[in-house]
Amino acid sequence: MNKRYNQLPQVAFSILLTLGAEPRHGYGIMKQVAEDSGGKIKLVPGALYASIKQLVEQNYIREVVEPDDLRRRYYKITGKGRRVLCEELAYYQSSLDLARRRRLLDAEARYA
């Protein structure tokens, strides 16, 4: 592999994963990330919007206008963002495959 892999921060990954399904506004992103993580990741507005700003600057997401809701800012994943998300998911998939081959996910291995 010639390209160097740079893992996304957990919050950025969670935002891209959420926006991979559909555009959302900030509060919708916060709610979906909390739901997707089983409540393990609870974004506060400051952390959310700092991450959104960085993702926009990296061209991973962009702001879009939702004609039915002009008072909120909506965000959508870009083609570049989708490629980065897919690379991240492929990394996690290969890690999960390795853990399965090494039987690290078996109940006996967890408590040995």
Side-chain angles (χ1 to χ4, degrees):
M1 180 184 282
N2 294 337
K3 188 175 167 187
R4 193 171 142 200
Y5 173 71
N6 292 314
Q7 190 171 15
L8 287 170
Q10 186 177 39
V11 170
F13 172 74
S14 298
I15 292 170
L16 290 179
L17 191 59
T18 293
L19 294 177
E22 64 185 56
R24 295 180 191 270
H25 54 78
Y27 182 67
I29 294 170
M30 285 193 305
K31 281 179 38 178
Q32 191 63 51
V33 166
E35 184 180 319
D36 290 349
S37 69
K40 291 182 178 127
I41 301 173
K42 293 179 183 171
L43 295 174
V44 295
L48 172 70
Y49 288 104
S51 292
I52 284 175
K53 181 179 183 230
Q54 188 174 29
L55 291 169
V56 168
E57 288 170 356
Q58 293 170 316
N59 193 32
Y60 292 169
I61 66 173
R62 65 183 174 88
E63 191 173 327
V64 294
V65 175
E66 285 290 324
D68 297 336
D69 192 0
L70 296 174
R71 62 189 180 93
R72 290 187 173 134
R73 291 182 176 183
Y74 279 74
Y75 300 92
K76 179 179 182 176
I77 194 167
T78 63
K80 182 179 179 183
R82 193 166 296 281
R83 283 189 299 279
V84 168
L85 176 61
C86 287
E87 288 174 10
E88 193 80 359
L89 290 169
Y91 167 77
Y92 286 126
Q93 182 64 57
S94 66
S95 297
L96 194 54
D97 291 345
L98 178 61
R100 283 188 179 114
R101 285 193 307 276
R102 292 182 178 172
R103 300 179 54 93
L104 298 174
L105 299 175
D106 294 344
E108 305 84 47
R110 280 186 267 168
Y111 301 105

